[in-house]
PDB file of all heavy atoms in Angstrom:
ATOM      1  N   GLU A  25     -13.977   9.033 140.572  1.00 91.00           N
ATOM      2  CA  GLU A  25     -12.791   9.100 139.730  1.00 91.00           C
ATOM      3  C   GLU A  25     -13.110   8.980 138.237  1.00 91.00           C
ATOM      4  O   GLU A  25     -12.213   9.086 137.416  1.00 91.00           O
ATOM      5  CB  GLU A  25     -11.805   7.976 140.100  1.00 91.00           C
ATOM      6  CG  GLU A  25     -11.275   8.131 141.543  1.00 91.00           C
ATOM      7  CD  GLU A  25     -12.248   7.606 142.564  1.00 91.00           C
ATOM      8  OE1 GLU A  25     -13.207   6.893 142.213  1.00 91.00           O
ATOM      9  OE2 GLU A  25     -12.086   7.982 143.752  1.00 91.00           O
ATOM     10  N   GLY A  26     -14.360   8.689 137.927  1.00 93.00           N
ATOM     11  CA  GLY A  26     -14.748   8.604 136.523  1.00 93.00           C
ATOM     12  C   GLY A  26     -14.873   7.220 135.941  1.00 93.00           C
ATOM     13  O   GLY A  26     -15.105   7.045 134.736  1.00 93.00           O
ATOM     14  N   ARG A  27     -14.667   6.212 136.753  1.00 96.00           N
ATOM     15  CA  ARG A  27     -14.810   4.850 136.240  1.00 96.00           C
ATOM     16  C   ARG A  27     -16.286   4.544 136.077  1.00 96.00           C
ATOM     17  O   ARG A  27     -17.135   4.944 136.853  1.00 96.00           O
ATOM     18  CB  ARG A  27     -14.203   3.830 137.230  1.00 96.00           C
ATOM     19  CG  ARG A  27     -12.699   3.903 137.326  1.00 96.00           C
ATOM     20  CD  ARG A  27     -12.137   2.744 138.132  1.00 96.00           C
ATOM     21  NE  ARG A  27     -12.631   2.808 139.513  1.00 96.00           N
ATOM     22  CZ  ARG A  27     -11.999   3.454 140.510  1.00 96.00           C
ATOM     23  NH1 ARG A  27     -10.857   4.100 140.236  1.00 96.00           N
ATOM     24  NH2 ARG A  27     -12.470   3.437 141.751  1.00 96.00           N
ATOM     25  N   THR A  28     -16.600   3.878 134.980  1.00 97.00           N
ATOM     26  CA  THR A  28     -17.958   3.601 134.607  1.00 97.00           C
ATOM     27  C   THR A  28     -18.245   2.114 134.477  1.00 97.00           C
ATOM     28  O   THR A  28     -17.349   1.325 134.234  1.00 97.00           O
ATOM     29  CB  THR A  28     -18.363   4.317 133.327  1.00 97.00           C
ATOM     30  OG1 THR A  28     -17.520   3.854 132.237  1.00 97.00           O
ATOM     31  CG2 THR A  28     -18.234   5.812 133.428  1.00 97.00           C
ATOM     32  N   ASN A  29     -19.501   1.799 134.620  1.00 98.00           N
ATOM     33  CA  ASN A  29     -19.956   0.421 134.384  1.00 98.00           C
ATOM     34  C   ASN A  29     -21.353   0.542 133.731  1.00 98.00           C
ATOM     35  O   ASN A  29     -22.210   1.206 134.257  1.00 98.00           O
ATOM     36  CB  ASN A  29     -20.046  -0.364 135.685  1.00 98.00           C
ATOM     37  CG  ASN A  29     -20.376  -1.813 135.436  1.00 98.00           C
ATOM     38  OD1 ASN A  29     -20.078  -2.380 134.382  1.00 98.00           O
ATOM     39  ND2 ASN A  29     -20.989  -2.456 136.418  1.00 98.00           N
ATOM     40  N   TYR A  30     -21.498  -0.125 132.580  1.00 98.00           N
ATOM     41  CA  TYR A  30     -22.776  -0.087 131.862  1.00 98.00           C
ATOM     42  C   TYR A  30     -23.355  -1.474 131.716  1.00 98.00           C
ATOM     43  O   TYR A  30     -22.638  -2.486 131.608  1.00 98.00           O
ATOM     44  CB  TYR A  30     -22.549   0.423 130.445  1.00 98.00           C
ATOM     45  CG  TYR A  30     -22.206   1.917 130.328  1.00 98.00           C
ATOM     46  CD1 TYR A  30     -20.887   2.327 130.332  1.00 98.00           C
ATOM     47  CD2 TYR A  30     -23.193   2.873 130.184  1.00 98.00           C
ATOM     48  CE1 TYR A  30     -20.574   3.696 130.205  1.00 98.00           C
ATOM     49  CE2 TYR A  30     -22.879   4.222 130.030  1.00 98.00           C
ATOM     50  CZ  TYR A  30     -21.567   4.597 130.041  1.00 98.00           C
ATOM     51  OH  TYR A  30     -21.282   5.945 129.924  1.00 98.00           O
ATOM     52  N   ALA A  31     -24.674  -1.509 131.695  1.00 98.00           N
ATOM     53  CA  ALA A  31     -25.330  -2.773 131.305  1.00 98.00           C
ATOM     54  C   ALA A  31     -25.060  -3.045 129.838  1.00 98.00           C
ATOM     55  O   ALA A  31     -24.961  -2.088 129.036  1.00 98.00           O
ATOM     56  CB  ALA A  31     -26.837  -2.654 131.532  1.00 98.00           C
ATOM     57  N   ASP A  32     -24.888  -4.312 129.502  1.00 98.00           N
ATOM     58  CA  ASP A  32     -24.593  -4.640 128.113  1.00 98.00           C
ATOM     59  C   ASP A  32     -25.670  -4.120 127.145  1.00 98.00           C
ATOM     60  O   ASP A  32     -25.408  -3.720 126.009  1.00 98.00           O
ATOM     61  CB  ASP A  32     -24.481  -6.173 127.943  1.00 98.00           C
ATOM     62  CG  ASP A  32     -23.207  -6.702 128.574  1.00 98.00           C
ATOM     63  OD1 ASP A  32     -22.257  -5.914 128.808  1.00 98.00           O
ATOM     64  OD2 ASP A  32     -23.142  -7.951 128.795  1.00 98.00           O
ATOM     65  N   SER A  33     -26.912  -4.090 127.610  1.00 98.00           N
ATOM     66  CA  SER A  33     -28.014  -3.736 126.722  1.00 98.00           C
ATOM     67  C   SER A  33     -28.012  -2.247 126.355  1.00 98.00           C
ATOM     68  O   SER A  33     -28.719  -1.857 125.427  1.00 98.00           O
ATOM     69  CB  SER A  33     -29.350  -4.061 127.452  1.00 98.00           C
ATOM     70  OG  SER A  33     -29.475  -3.357 128.684  1.00 98.00           O
ATOM     71  N   VAL A  34     -27.233  -1.407 127.059  1.00 98.00           N
ATOM     72  CA  VAL A  34     -27.219   0.027 126.764  1.00 98.00           C
ATOM     73  C   VAL A  34     -25.874   0.496 126.262  1.00 98.00           C
ATOM     74  O   VAL A  34     -25.765   1.658 125.897  1.00 98.00           O
ATOM     75  CB  VAL A  34     -27.641   0.847 128.004  1.00 98.00           C
ATOM     76  CG1 VAL A  34     -28.969   0.368 128.539  1.00 98.00           C
ATOM     77  CG2 VAL A  34     -26.583   0.856 129.088  1.00 98.00           C
ATOM     78  N   LYS A  35     -24.907  -0.366 126.250  1.00 98.00           N
ATOM     79  CA  LYS A  35     -23.568   0.048 125.774  1.00 98.00           C
ATOM     80  C   LYS A  35     -23.620   0.582 124.334  1.00 98.00           C
ATOM     81  O   LYS A  35     -24.277  -0.042 123.489  1.00 98.00           O
ATOM     82  CB  LYS A  35     -22.593  -1.092 125.868  1.00 98.00           C
ATOM     83  CG  LYS A  35     -22.108  -1.416 127.286  1.00 98.00           C
ATOM     84  CD  LYS A  35     -21.154  -2.581 127.314  1.00 98.00           C
ATOM     85  CE  LYS A  35     -20.701  -2.888 128.731  1.00 98.00           C
ATOM     86  NZ  LYS A  35     -19.830  -4.079 128.786  1.00 98.00           N
ATOM     87  N   GLY A  36     -23.000   1.719 124.100  1.00 97.00           N
ATOM     88  CA  GLY A  36     -23.000   2.285 122.797  1.00 97.00           C
ATOM     89  C   GLY A  36     -24.181   3.225 122.535  1.00 97.00           C
ATOM     90  O   GLY A  36     -24.200   3.954 121.542  1.00 97.00           O
ATOM     91  N   ARG A  37     -25.178   3.153 123.406  1.00 98.00           N
ATOM     92  CA  ARG A  37     -26.380   4.009 123.235  1.00 98.00           C
ATOM     93  C   ARG A  37     -26.520   5.042 124.357  1.00 98.00           C
ATOM     94  O   ARG A  37     -26.969   6.154 124.132  1.00 98.00           O
ATOM     95  CB  ARG A  37     -27.650   3.133 123.162  1.00 98.00           C
ATOM     96  CG  ARG A  37     -27.645   2.159 122.012  1.00 98.00           C
ATOM     97  CD  ARG A  37     -29.006   1.456 121.921  1.00 98.00           C
ATOM     98  NE  ARG A  37     -29.341   0.703 123.093  1.00 98.00           N
ATOM     99  CZ  ARG A  37     -30.445   0.901 123.811  1.00 98.00           C
ATOM    100  NH1 ARG A  37     -31.286   1.832 123.496  1.00 98.00           N
ATOM    101  NH2 ARG A  37     -30.690   0.144 124.896  1.00 98.00           N
ATOM    102  N   PHE A  38     -26.191   4.626 125.575  1.00 98.00           N
ATOM    103  CA  PHE A  38     -26.326   5.512 126.735  1.00 98.00           C
ATOM    104  C   PHE A  38     -24.943   5.996 127.190  1.00 98.00           C
ATOM    105  O   PHE A  38     -23.980   5.215 127.083  1.00 98.00           O
ATOM    106  CB  PHE A  38     -26.966   4.764 127.887  1.00 98.00           C
ATOM    107  CG  PHE A  38     -28.430   4.429 127.691  1.00 98.00           C
ATOM    108  CD1 PHE A  38     -29.061   4.557 126.479  1.00 98.00           C
ATOM    109  CD2 PHE A  38     -29.170   3.900 128.751  1.00 98.00           C
ATOM    110  CE1 PHE A  38     -30.382   4.210 126.280  1.00 98.00           C
ATOM    111  CE2 PHE A  38     -30.520   3.577 128.562  1.00 98.00           C
ATOM    112  CZ  PHE A  38     -31.110   3.726 127.354  1.00 98.00           C
ATOM    113  N   THR A  39     -24.910   7.169 127.707  1.00 98.00           N
ATOM    114  CA  THR A  39     -23.662   7.734 128.251  1.00 98.00           C
ATOM    115  C   THR A  39     -23.938   8.351 129.612  1.00 98.00           C
ATOM    116  O   THR A  39     -24.787   9.233 129.692  1.00 98.00           O
ATOM    117  CB  THR A  39     -23.042   8.761 127.311  1.00 98.00           C
ATOM    118  OG1 THR A  39     -22.799   8.176 126.016  1.00 98.00           O
ATOM    119  CG2 THR A  39     -21.696   9.271 127.853  1.00 98.00           C
ATOM    120  N   ILE A  40     -23.164   7.933 130.581  1.00 98.00           N
ATOM    121  CA  ILE A  40     -23.297   8.557 131.917  1.00 98.00           C
ATOM    122  C   ILE A  40     -22.203   9.578 132.121  1.00 98.00           C
ATOM    123  O   ILE A  40     -21.081   9.393 131.632  1.00 98.00           O
ATOM    124  CB  ILE A  40     -23.241   7.452 133.028  1.00 98.00           C
ATOM    125  CG1 ILE A  40     -23.586   8.044 134.392  1.00 98.00           C
ATOM    126  CG2 ILE A  40     -21.884   6.771 133.056  1.00 98.00           C
ATOM    127  CD1 ILE A  40     -23.789   6.984 135.483  1.00 98.00           C
ATOM    128  N   SER A  41     -22.548  10.658 132.782  1.00 97.00           N
ATOM    129  CA  SER A  41     -21.549  11.683 133.087  1.00 97.00           C
ATOM    130  C   SER A  41     -21.918  12.237 134.463  1.00 97.00           C
ATOM    131  O   SER A  41     -22.976  12.019 134.982  1.00 97.00           O
ATOM    132  CB  SER A  41     -21.549  12.761 132.036  1.00 97.00           C
ATOM    133  OG  SER A  41     -22.808  13.401 131.943  1.00 97.00           O
ATOM    134  N   ARG A  42     -20.924  12.935 135.013  1.00 95.00           N
ATOM    135  CA  ARG A  42     -21.105  13.375 136.397  1.00 95.00           C
ATOM    136  C   ARG A  42     -20.411  14.706 136.583  1.00 95.00           C
ATOM    137  O   ARG A  42     -19.276  14.921 136.087  1.00 95.00           O
ATOM    138  CB  ARG A  42     -20.551  12.285 137.327  1.00 95.00           C
ATOM    139  CG  ARG A  42     -20.693  12.508 138.762  1.00 95.00           C
ATOM    140  CD  ARG A  42     -20.254  11.269 139.535  1.00 95.00           C
ATOM    141  NE  ARG A  42     -20.147  11.560 140.957  1.00 95.00           N
ATOM    142  CZ  ARG A  42     -19.825  10.673 141.882  1.00 95.00           C
ATOM    143  NH1 ARG A  42     -19.559   9.395 141.508  1.00 95.00           N
ATOM    144  NH2 ARG A  42     -19.726  11.004 143.125  1.00 95.00           N
ATOM    145  N   ASP A  43     -21.047  15.596 137.355  1.00 93.00           N
ATOM    146  CA  ASP A  43     -20.407  16.838 137.733  1.00 93.00           C
ATOM    147  C   ASP A  43     -20.272  16.749 139.285  1.00 93.00           C
ATOM    148  O   ASP A  43     -21.232  16.937 140.021  1.00 93.00           O
ATOM    149  CB  ASP A  43     -21.320  18.010 137.341  1.00 93.00           C
ATOM    150  CG  ASP A  43     -20.677  19.370 137.593  1.00 93.00           C
ATOM    151  OD1 ASP A  43     -19.830  19.434 138.531  1.00 93.00           O
ATOM    152  OD2 ASP A  43     -20.984  20.339 136.898  1.00 93.00           O
ATOM    153  N   ASN A  44     -19.079  16.439 139.721  1.00 89.00           N
ATOM    154  CA  ASN A  44     -18.862  16.250 141.170  1.00 89.00           C
ATOM    155  C   ASN A  44     -19.069  17.532 141.919  1.00 89.00           C
ATOM    156  O   ASN A  44     -19.539  17.510 143.092  1.00 89.00           O
ATOM    157  CB  ASN A  44     -17.459  15.700 141.420  1.00 89.00           C
ATOM    158  CG  ASN A  44     -17.285  14.268 140.907  1.00 89.00           C
ATOM    159  OD1 ASN A  44     -18.220  13.501 140.920  1.00 89.00           O
ATOM    160  ND2 ASN A  44     -16.069  13.962 140.431  1.00 89.00           N
ATOM    161  N   ALA A  45     -18.752  18.654 141.342  1.00 90.00           N
ATOM    162  CA  ALA A  45     -18.911  19.926 142.037  1.00 90.00           C
ATOM    163  C   ALA A  45     -20.347  20.238 142.290  1.00 90.00           C
ATOM    164  O   ALA A  45     -20.703  20.875 143.283  1.00 90.00           O
ATOM    165  CB  ALA A  45     -18.276  21.074 141.214  1.00 90.00           C
ATOM    166  N   LYS A  46     -21.225  19.759 141.418  1.00 92.00           N
ATOM    167  CA  LYS A  46     -22.642  19.976 141.550  1.00 92.00           C
ATOM    168  C   LYS A  46     -23.407  18.794 142.156  1.00 92.00           C
ATOM    169  O   LYS A  46     -24.611  18.821 142.260  1.00 92.00           O
ATOM    170  CB  LYS A  46     -23.274  20.322 140.202  1.00 92.00           C
ATOM    171  CG  LYS A  46     -22.796  21.633 139.600  1.00 92.00           C
ATOM    172  CD  LYS A  46     -23.487  21.922 138.275  1.00 92.00           C
ATOM    173  CE  LYS A  46     -23.004  23.256 137.682  1.00 92.00           C
ATOM    174  NZ  LYS A  46     -23.683  23.540 136.381  1.00 92.00           N
ATOM    175  N   ASN A  47     -22.660  17.751 142.464  1.00 91.00           N
ATOM    176  CA  ASN A  47     -23.291  16.525 142.960  1.00 91.00           C
ATOM    177  C   ASN A  47     -24.419  16.027 142.039  1.00 91.00           C
ATOM    178  O   ASN A  47     -25.481  15.626 142.490  1.00 91.00           O
ATOM    179  CB  ASN A  47     -23.862  16.745 144.374  1.00 91.00           C
ATOM    180  CG  ASN A  47     -22.871  16.412 145.495  1.00 91.00           C
ATOM    181  OD1 ASN A  47     -21.842  15.796 145.230  1.00 91.00           O
ATOM    182  ND2 ASN A  47     -23.188  16.786 146.692  1.00 91.00           N
ATOM    183  N   THR A  48     -24.163  16.071 140.767  1.00 95.00           N
ATOM    184  CA  THR A  48     -25.179  15.750 139.781  1.00 95.00           C
ATOM    185  C   THR A  48     -24.667  14.719 138.824  1.00 95.00           C
ATOM    186  O   THR A  48     -23.500  14.777 138.388  1.00 95.00           O
ATOM    187  CB  THR A  48     -25.606  16.994 138.990  1.00 95.00           C
ATOM    188  OG1 THR A  48     -26.127  17.977 139.927  1.00 95.00           O
ATOM    189  CG2 THR A  48     -26.681  16.680 137.959  1.00 95.00           C
ATOM    190  N   VAL A  49     -25.511  13.757 138.488  1.00 97.00           N
ATOM    191  CA  VAL A  49     -25.168  12.749 137.516  1.00 97.00           C
ATOM    192  C   VAL A  49     -26.213  12.828 136.376  1.00 97.00           C
ATOM    193  O   VAL A  49     -27.381  13.120 136.596  1.00 97.00           O
ATOM    194  CB  VAL A  49     -25.144  11.337 138.137  1.00 97.00           C
ATOM    195  CG1 VAL A  49     -26.534  10.916 138.645  1.00 97.00           C
ATOM    196  CG2 VAL A  49     -24.565  10.290 137.205  1.00 97.00           C
ATOM    197  N   TYR A  50     -25.721  12.546 135.166  1.00 98.00           N
ATOM    198  CA  TYR A  50     -26.574  12.647 134.010  1.00 98.00           C
ATOM    199  C   TYR A  50     -26.578  11.326 133.240  1.00 98.00           C
ATOM    200  O   TYR A  50     -25.613  10.529 133.349  1.00 98.00           O
ATOM    201  CB  TYR A  50     -26.060  13.732 133.034  1.00 98.00           C
ATOM    202  CG  TYR A  50     -25.918  15.062 133.676  1.00 98.00           C
ATOM    203  CD1 TYR A  50     -24.674  15.456 134.204  1.00 98.00           C
ATOM    204  CD2 TYR A  50     -26.981  15.949 133.784  1.00 98.00           C
ATOM    205  CE1 TYR A  50     -24.527  16.685 134.804  1.00 98.00           C
ATOM    206  CE2 TYR A  50     -26.812  17.185 134.394  1.00 98.00           C
ATOM    207  CZ  TYR A  50     -25.587  17.550 134.891  1.00 98.00           C
ATOM    208  OH  TYR A  50     -25.412  18.762 135.487  1.00 98.00           O
ATOM    209  N   LEU A  51     -27.640  11.041 132.496  1.00 98.00           N
ATOM    210  CA  LEU A  51     -27.663   9.883 131.655  1.00 98.00           C
ATOM    211  C   LEU A  51     -28.226  10.323 130.336  1.00 98.00           C
ATOM    212  O   LEU A  51     -29.398  10.667 130.218  1.00 98.00           O
ATOM    213  CB  LEU A  51     -28.555   8.779 132.235  1.00 98.00           C
ATOM    214  CG  LEU A  51     -28.541   7.486 131.454  1.00 98.00           C
ATOM    215  CD1 LEU A  51     -27.158   6.796 131.553  1.00 98.00           C
ATOM    216  CD2 LEU A  51     -29.635   6.503 131.978  1.00 98.00           C
ATOM    217  N   GLN A  52     -27.361  10.365 129.327  1.00 98.00           N
ATOM    218  CA  GLN A  52     -27.767  10.687 127.937  1.00 98.00           C
ATOM    219  C   GLN A  52     -28.183   9.350 127.278  1.00 98.00           C
ATOM    220  O   GLN A  52     -27.343   8.465 127.140  1.00 98.00           O
ATOM    221  CB  GLN A  52     -26.626  11.318 127.189  1.00 98.00           C
ATOM    222  CG  GLN A  52     -26.963  11.643 125.724  1.00 98.00           C
ATOM    223  CD  GLN A  52     -28.076  12.707 125.619  1.00 98.00           C
ATOM    224  OE1 GLN A  52     -28.092  13.690 126.326  1.00 98.00           O
ATOM    225  NE2 GLN A  52     -29.007  12.479 124.683  1.00 98.00           N
ATOM    226  N   MET A  53     -29.393   9.297 126.877  1.00 98.00           N
ATOM    227  CA  MET A  53     -29.950   8.070 126.259  1.00 98.00           C
ATOM    228  C   MET A  53     -30.298   8.331 124.770  1.00 98.00           C
ATOM    229  O   MET A  53     -31.177   9.127 124.485  1.00 98.00           O
ATOM    230  CB  MET A  53     -31.175   7.604 127.022  1.00 98.00           C
ATOM    231  CG  MET A  53     -30.946   7.404 128.503  1.00 98.00           C
ATOM    232  SD  MET A  53     -32.380   6.722 129.356  1.00 98.00           S
ATOM    233  CE  MET A  53     -33.512   8.065 129.234  1.00 98.00           C
ATOM    234  N   ASN A  54     -29.587   7.673 123.906  1.00 98.00           N
ATOM    235  CA  ASN A  54     -29.780   7.817 122.480  1.00 98.00           C
ATOM    236  C   ASN A  54     -30.261   6.492 121.892  1.00 98.00           C
ATOM    237  O   ASN A  54     -30.124   5.423 122.528  1.00 98.00           O
ATOM    238  CB  ASN A  54     -28.504   8.219 121.774  1.00 98.00           C
ATOM    239  CG  ASN A  54     -28.018   9.577 122.248  1.00 98.00           C
ATOM    240  OD1 ASN A  54     -28.765  10.441 122.644  1.00 98.00           O
ATOM    241  ND2 ASN A  54     -26.661   9.737 122.252  1.00 98.00           N
ATOM    242  N   SER A  55     -30.831   6.533 120.697  1.00 98.00           N
ATOM    243  CA  SER A  55     -31.303   5.322 120.012  1.00 98.00           C
ATOM    244  C   SER A  55     -32.183   4.520 120.911  1.00 98.00           C
ATOM    245  O   SER A  55     -32.038   3.305 121.032  1.00 98.00           O
ATOM    246  CB  SER A  55     -30.108   4.515 119.472  1.00 98.00           C
ATOM    247  OG  SER A  55     -29.279   5.272 118.633  1.00 98.00           O
ATOM    248  N   LEU A  56     -33.117   5.162 121.552  1.00 98.00           N
ATOM    249  CA  LEU A  56     -33.958   4.494 122.518  1.00 98.00           C
ATOM    250  C   LEU A  56     -34.855   3.438 121.823  1.00 98.00           C
ATOM    251  O   LEU A  56     -35.302   3.606 120.693  1.00 98.00           O
ATOM    252  CB  LEU A  56     -34.849   5.480 123.227  1.00 98.00           C
ATOM    253  CG  LEU A  56     -34.096   6.250 124.331  1.00 98.00           C
ATOM    254  CD1 LEU A  56     -34.821   7.534 124.731  1.00 98.00           C
ATOM    255  CD2 LEU A  56     -33.927   5.354 125.560  1.00 98.00           C
ATOM    256  N   LYS A  57     -35.095   2.360 122.567  1.00 98.00           N
ATOM    257  CA  LYS A  57     -35.888   1.245 122.087  1.00 98.00           C
ATOM    258  C   LYS A  57     -37.073   1.045 123.031  1.00 98.00           C
ATOM    259  O   LYS A  57     -37.012   1.431 124.196  1.00 98.00           O
ATOM    260  CB  LYS A  57     -35.060  -0.027 122.072  1.00 98.00           C
ATOM    261  CG  LYS A  57     -33.762   0.067 121.316  1.00 98.00           C
ATOM    262  CD  LYS A  57     -32.944  -1.239 121.432  1.00 98.00           C
ATOM    263  CE  LYS A  57     -31.657  -1.146 120.670  1.00 98.00           C
ATOM    264  NZ  LYS A  57     -30.866  -2.421 120.810  1.00 98.00           N
ATOM    265  N   PRO A  58     -38.139   0.443 122.520  1.00 97.00           N
ATOM    266  CA  PRO A  58     -39.298   0.199 123.403  1.00 97.00           C
ATOM    267  C   PRO A  58     -38.921  -0.599 124.644  1.00 97.00           C
ATOM    268  O   PRO A  58     -39.491  -0.353 125.726  1.00 97.00           O
ATOM    269  CB  PRO A  58     -40.240  -0.641 122.472  1.00 97.00           C
ATOM    270  CG  PRO A  58     -39.924  -0.154 121.124  1.00 97.00           C
ATOM    271  CD  PRO A  58     -38.422   0.092 121.099  1.00 97.00           C
ATOM    272  N   GLU A  59     -37.964  -1.485 124.561  1.00 97.00           N
ATOM    273  CA  GLU A  59     -37.515  -2.224 125.718  1.00 97.00           C
ATOM    274  C   GLU A  59     -36.779  -1.428 126.763  1.00 97.00           C
ATOM    275  O   GLU A  59     -36.458  -1.918 127.855  1.00 97.00           O
ATOM    276  CB  GLU A  59     -36.678  -3.449 125.294  1.00 97.00           C
ATOM    277  CG  GLU A  59     -35.529  -3.134 124.385  1.00 97.00           C
ATOM    278  CD  GLU A  59     -35.872  -3.380 122.914  1.00 97.00           C
ATOM    279  OE1 GLU A  59     -36.999  -2.992 122.493  1.00 97.00           O
ATOM    280  OE2 GLU A  59     -35.018  -3.913 122.193  1.00 97.00           O
ATOM    281  N   ASP A  60     -36.498  -0.173 126.478  1.00 98.00           N
ATOM    282  CA  ASP A  60     -35.908   0.751 127.464  1.00 98.00           C
ATOM    283  C   ASP A  60     -36.955   1.329 128.349  1.00 98.00           C
ATOM    284  O   ASP A  60     -36.649   2.036 129.326  1.00 98.00           O
ATOM    285  CB  ASP A  60     -35.117   1.855 126.781  1.00 98.00           C
ATOM    286  CG  ASP A  60     -33.903   1.377 126.013  1.00 98.00           C
ATOM    287  OD1 ASP A  60     -33.199   0.514 126.569  1.00 98.00           O
ATOM    288  OD2 ASP A  60     -33.661   1.865 124.905  1.00 98.00           O
ATOM    289  N   THR A  61     -38.225   1.109 128.041  1.00 98.00           N
ATOM    290  CA  THR A  61     -39.328   1.648 128.831  1.00 98.00           C
ATOM    291  C   THR A  61     -39.236   1.104 130.253  1.00 98.00           C
ATOM    292  O   THR A  61     -39.192  -0.129 130.496  1.00 98.00           O
ATOM    293  CB  THR A  61     -40.667   1.274 128.198  1.00 98.00           C
ATOM    294  OG1 THR A  61     -40.780   1.916 126.928  1.00 98.00           O
ATOM    295  CG2 THR A  61     -41.821   1.685 129.123  1.00 98.00           C
ATOM    296  N   ALA A  62     -39.202   2.014 131.221  1.00 98.00           N
ATOM    297  CA  ALA A  62     -39.091   1.630 132.623  1.00 98.00           C
ATOM    298  C   ALA A  62     -39.144   2.899 133.491  1.00 98.00           C
ATOM    299  O   ALA A  62     -39.074   3.993 132.969  1.00 98.00           O
ATOM    300  CB  ALA A  62     -37.757   0.899 132.861  1.00 98.00           C
ATOM    301  N   VAL A  63     -39.181   2.659 134.786  1.00 98.00           N
ATOM    302  CA  VAL A  63     -38.930   3.739 135.729  1.00 98.00           C
ATOM    303  C   VAL A  63     -37.452   3.769 135.998  1.00 98.00           C
ATOM    304  O   VAL A  63     -36.867   2.704 136.402  1.00 98.00           O
ATOM    305  CB  VAL A  63     -39.747   3.557 137.045  1.00 98.00           C
ATOM    306  CG1 VAL A  63     -39.412   4.690 138.017  1.00 98.00           C
ATOM    307  CG2 VAL A  63     -41.241   3.541 136.731  1.00 98.00           C
ATOM    308  N   TYR A  64     -36.861   4.854 135.834  1.00 98.00           N
ATOM    309  CA  TYR A  64     -35.389   4.999 136.046  1.00 98.00           C
ATOM    310  C   TYR A  64     -35.145   5.664 137.397  1.00 98.00           C
ATOM    311  O   TYR A  64     -35.696   6.724 137.680  1.00 98.00           O
ATOM    312  CB  TYR A  64     -34.761   5.863 134.907  1.00 98.00           C
ATOM    313  CG  TYR A  64     -34.626   5.071 133.636  1.00 98.00           C
ATOM    314  CD1 TYR A  64     -35.783   4.705 132.896  1.00 98.00           C
ATOM    315  CD2 TYR A  64     -33.432   4.707 133.163  1.00 98.00           C
ATOM    316  CE1 TYR A  64     -35.661   3.943 131.754  1.00 98.00           C
ATOM    317  CE2 TYR A  64     -33.259   3.966 131.968  1.00 98.00           C
ATOM    318  CZ  TYR A  64     -34.414   3.607 131.268  1.00 98.00           C
ATOM    319  OH  TYR A  64     -34.268   2.858 130.127  1.00 98.00           O
ATOM    320  N   TYR A  65     -34.295   5.011 138.179  1.00 98.00           N
ATOM    321  CA  TYR A  65     -34.003   5.479 139.511  1.00 98.00           C
ATOM    322  C   TYR A  65     -32.521   5.880 139.589  1.00 98.00           C
ATOM    323  O   TYR A  65     -31.612   5.168 139.166  1.00 98.00           O
ATOM    324  CB  TYR A  65     -34.224   4.361 140.532  1.00 98.00           C
ATOM    325  CG  TYR A  65     -35.659   3.961 140.645  1.00 98.00           C
ATOM    326  CD1 TYR A  65     -36.158   2.897 139.918  1.00 98.00           C
ATOM    327  CD2 TYR A  65     -36.520   4.571 141.573  1.00 98.00           C
ATOM    328  CE1 TYR A  65     -37.488   2.490 139.985  1.00 98.00           C
ATOM    329  CE2 TYR A  65     -37.851   4.185 141.680  1.00 98.00           C
ATOM    330  CZ  TYR A  65     -38.328   3.142 140.917  1.00 98.00           C
ATOM    331  OH  TYR A  65     -39.599   2.739 141.014  1.00 98.00           O
TER     332      TYR A  65
END
């Protein structure tokens, strides 16, 4: 339905979006910081 939940550490920098028809989710990550370094699942 489009409800979102973000970690406090990424609010204002990351944006999640979703195309239900394509069963695809996206994560736009802006203003990246070294502490964002990780494996993303």
Side-chain angles (χ1 to χ4, degrees):
E25 297 79 16
R27 292 188 297 270
T28 59
N29 186 27
Y30 289 92
D32 287 343
S33 60
V34 307
K35 285 180 180 177
R37 300 188 299 122
F38 292 10
T39 302
I40 189 170
S41 60
R42 184 172 167 178
D43 186 332
N44 292 327
K46 295 182 179 179
N47 268 349
T48 300
V49 66
Y50 307 94
L51 185 68
Q52 179 65 43
M53 304 185 293
N54 298 328
S55 302
L56 282 160
K57 304 175 181 180
E59 50 264 43
D60 294 318
T61 295
V63 178
Y64 283 69
Y65 295 92

